[in-house]
Amino acid sequence: MENNKAKMNEKEEIIFNSIRKNPYISQQELADILDLSRPTVANLISGLIKKGRILGKAYILNEAKQIVCIGGANVDRKFYIKDKAQLATSNPVRSTQSAGGVARNVGENLGRLGKEVILLTACGTDSDWEAVKNASNTYMNLDYVTAFPSIATGSYTAVLENNGDLLVALADMDAYDHLTPDVLAKNEGLLSQASAIIADLNCPKETLEYLGSFAEINSIPLVLVPVSSPKMSHLPERLDHVTWLICNRDESETHLEMTIENDEDWRLAAQKWLDLGVKNVIVTNGSKGAVAANNAEGIIFEPAIVIENIVDVTGAGDAFCSAVIYAWLEGKSLQEILKAGSVNAARTLESEYTVRQNLSTSQLQKDLEEFK
C-alpha cells in the first residue's frame, strides 16, 4: 500500500522544487513556468497536499508577518546653497547623495525600528540602483524588487537653502510606471501574508486600485502615503479599504477640493476623509502640527515640536509616517501614535540624513520620554 508521500510526477516535481526555492511564489508564476493555466496549477498543488508533500497552504506562510512597502526607491541628491539663492545664475553649493524614495525611506525607518520589511519596487540595472541596494539591504529584504534593463532607477534632486528649507525639487519617477498590477500579482503569496501593506502614490492608480481590492479580499491593513499634491490623482476611487491615510494639508486640499485656512477647516478635512471611507487618517500641517481621526477616538490634535536648528527637511515626512505605522502596529492609542510620528519627524529634521542614523526602538522611546 502506497504511503502518504506518494511519488510525484514531472509537473509536481517542478512545482515542489519551485516552492522550495521561493516560498512566496504565486500560483500565476508557477503557471507561467509550466505553461499551464492557473486553475490547473491549483489542482496540482491540491494533489501535492493530498500526497503529503505540502501541508495546506504552508508553502506561502510567513511566520514573521513582514510589512510590505511598495513604491519609490531612488537616489536622493541634495544641493545645499551656501549663500542666498539667486535664480538664472550659478550658485555655490555643497552636495550629498543617499538612498531615498518614500516607500524605501519608510522601509528603512521601520527596519531600524526592528520590523521585518520587504520592499517591492521597480528599478533599472544601473549604478544608481546599486547605490540604493547597498544602502538599503541591511534594513529590508530586496529579493522581490523587479529590475528593468530599459529604464533608469528613480532619482530625486533637492535644492535646499542654507537654513534647510526646500527651494526646489526635481523628481524622475518614471520607473514606477512599471509597478503594474501584473508585477504585484506575481507576489500575491507574499502580499497575502503581510502584516500590513504600505504603498506610496508613486504607484500608478490602477496598481493602487488592485492593492485596495487585494487588501479587502485578504483582510490585510493597507496604508497609503501620498508623495505630492499632483500624485493625489493616483488615489483609488474607493477608499473604504484604506486602513491608514497619512497626508499633508496641500494634498488634502487638492483631493477634497477645499481650502484649509484655520483649525475648523483642518478638522473638517479629517472628517471628510473619514466620510470617504478611510478608517484612520492623519492630516499634517507643517509647523502647526497634525490632526488624526477615526470613528472610535474622534479627531485629535498634536502640536508640532519646535526645532531650533533644522538641518534638512528631506525625509521628515517619511519619518513621521514610519513612526505612526510602528506605534499603530504596537497597539498604541491615536494620541500616542501622533506623538510618535511628531517625535521621529522632529529628530529627523535635526539630521542631515534622510533617515536618521541613530534610530532604534530604544532611541525612539528615549526621544518620546524627552518630549513628554
Side-chain angles (χ1 to χ4, degrees):
M1 184 175 176
E2 197 171 29
N3 61 28
N4 284 338
K5 289 192 176 180
K7 186 177 179 180
M8 295 183 286
N9 62 37
E10 182 182 356
K11 289 185 173 59
E12 289 173 333
E13 287 276 6
I14 293 171
I15 290 174
F16 184 83
N17 290 327
S18 297
I19 290 170
R20 174 179 282 167
K21 289 178 183 177
N22 178 11
Y24 299 115
I25 195 167
S26 68
Q27 290 184 3
Q28 186 57 57
E29 284 180 291
L30 291 168
D32 292 342
I33 290 169
L34 289 162
D35 195 24
L36 297 172
S37 69
R38 183 170 163 175
T40 300
V41 167
N43 288 334
L44 287 167
I45 289 173
S46 179
L48 286 169
I49 293 170
K50 291 176 182 177
K51 290 180 179 181
R53 299 287 181 171
I54 296 174
L55 300 177
K57 290 189 177 181
Y59 72 98
I60 60 167
L61 283 182
N62 169 21
E63 295 296 336
K65 300 291 284 185
Q66 288 104 329
I67 299 167
V68 179
C69 294
I70 307 172
N74 41 260
V75 169
D76 273 359
R77 296 182 176 91
K78 300 175 189 175
F79 296 88
Y80 299 87
I81 297 177
K82 293 181 177 180
D83 302 306
K84 184 174 177 60
Q86 297 181 60
L87 299 179
T89 189
S90 176
N91 290 267
V93 301
R94 68 178 180 88
S95 62
T96 63
Q97 178 175 304
S98 61
V102 172
R104 195 219 70 88
N105 291 347
V106 170
E108 182 177 339
N109 272 273
L110 289 169
R112 287 179 179 272
L113 288 168
K115 295 298 183 183
E116 296 287 334
V117 178
I118 293 175
L119 179 68
L120 295 185
T121 190
C123 68
T125 55
D126 48 24
S127 59
D128 277 357
W129 175 248
E130 287 301 312
V132 173
K133 182 172 71 173
N134 291 336
S136 308
N137 56 16
T138 301
Y139 309 104
M140 65 200 79
N141 184 334
L142 302 175
D143 292 346
Y144 304 93
V145 171
T146 304
F148 296 89
S150 61
I151 68 174
T153 297
S155 65
Y156 172 83
T157 302
V159 180
L160 301 122
E161 296 185 287
N162 55 17
N163 64 356
D165 286 344
L166 179 66
L167 180 64
V168 65
L170 307 170
D172 179 357
M173 303 295 168
D174 288 352
Y176 310 124
D177 293 340
H178 294 265
L179 274 175
T180 62
D182 287 344
V183 167
L184 295 191
K186 292 179 180 179
N187 294 288
E188 61 182 12
L190 175 69
L191 291 169
S192 68
Q193 296 301 312
S195 59
I197 296 171
I198 304 167
D200 72 36
L201 266 58
N202 283 309
C203 298
K205 182 170 184 171
E206 59 268 25
T207 299
L208 295 169
E209 297 275 9
Y210 163 83
L211 285 173
S213 298
F214 186 92
E216 182 179 43
I217 292 168
N218 292 277
S219 300
I220 297 168
L222 176 63
V223 181
L224 295 185
V225 184
V227 297
S228 65
S229 295
K231 291 286 179 74
M232 292 302 284
S233 62
H234 291 195
L235 268 183
E237 294 299 322
R238 283 183 54 206
L239 296 176
D240 55 320
H241 43 239
V242 177
T243 309
W244 277 95
L245 176 70
I246 307 168
C247 59
N248 63 29
R249 185 194 69 191
D250 292 343
E251 291 156 352
S252 289
E253 288 180 332
T254 297
H255 190 78
L256 299 174
E257 298 181 336
M258 64 178 291
T259 301
I260 300 174
E261 296 180 335
N262 51 47
D263 289 354
E264 184 178 348
D265 294 337
W266 196 2
R267 292 172 183 272
L268 177 61
Q271 185 59 55
K272 283 189 173 185
W273 283 119
L274 295 184
D275 293 343
L276 288 172
V278 175
K279 295 178 179 64
N280 301 274
V281 65
I282 291 177
V283 181
T284 61
N285 196 1
S287 61
K288 292 183 179 180
V291 296
N294 61 35
N295 288 324
E297 297 169 86
I299 300 174
I300 294 171
F301 169 75
E302 178 71 29
I305 296 169
V306 178
I307 299 299
E308 297 293 337
N309 298 309
I310 295 175
V311 176
D312 188 349
V313 299
T314 309
D318 301 335
F320 180 95
C321 294
S322 307
V324 162
I325 295 162
Y326 171 79
W328 163 62
L329 289 171
E330 293 294 305
K332 303 299 184 181
S333 69
L334 198 56
Q335 192 75 64
E336 291 171 317
I337 288 169
L338 259 185
K339 189 69 173 182
S342 297
V343 166
N344 201 36
R347 284 301 190 220
T348 303
L349 288 170
E350 297 174 325
S351 169
E352 66 177 307
Y353 295 94
T354 303
V355 179
R356 61 183 176 124
Q357 303 295 283
N358 68 337
L359 179 60
S360 66
T361 51
S362 59
Q363 185 60 52
L364 182 60
Q365 187 57 43
K366 288 177 185 176
D367 296 335
L368 285 165
E369 291 170 2
E370 181 180 340
F371 287 109
K372 273 185 179 178

